[in-house]
Amino acid sequence: MPKRLQMYEGGGVVVSFDPNVCIHAADCIRGLPTVFDVKLKRWIRPENAPAERVAEQVRRCPSGALQFRMKPGD
Ligand code: SF4
């Protein structure tokens, strides 16, 4: 059964994570550990870095499991 899409919002950006697509390359965790920390239940905390930096890291996700959307007005 497919796993549910996860959404994490903070700091003016919404990051979504599709666990069905992730290849566990860990680029996100290595690249921006203040935001991506699998030890935490809420493992993506976009508010812990500038939105542009979060977006840049999301773009580097090799599988496309991570996506982002800037929140207008924030
Ligand atoms: S960078 Fe993308 S593919 Fe790699 S662990 Fe993170 S979400 Fe999964």
Side-chain angles (χ1 to χ4, degrees):
M1 201 161 81
K3 294 182 189 139
R4 199 171 58 83
L5 186 72
Q6 301 169 17
M7 305 288 274
Y8 301 90
E9 183 177 338
V13 61
V14 183
V15 176
S16 63
F17 170 68
D18 186 342
N20 304 293
V21 173
C22 176
I23 57 169
H24 307 289
D27 297 38
C28 51
I29 296 150
R30 274 197 301 271
L32 194 52
T34 54
V35 169
F36 300 93
D37 185 348
V38 287
K39 294 194 294 297
L40 303 173
K41 183 162 165 40
R42 183 172 169 257
W43 77 280
I44 303 176
R45 300 183 180 227
E47 66 278 12
N48 286 351
E52 274 307 327
R53 180 66 187 91
V54 174
E56 183 192 342
Q57 192 62 48
V58 165
R59 282 192 205 101
R60 288 188 195 152
C61 171
S63 69
L66 293 173
Q67 303 286 329
F68 75 95
R69 174 168 65 79
M70 291 299 184
K71 281 201 72 197
D74 283 352

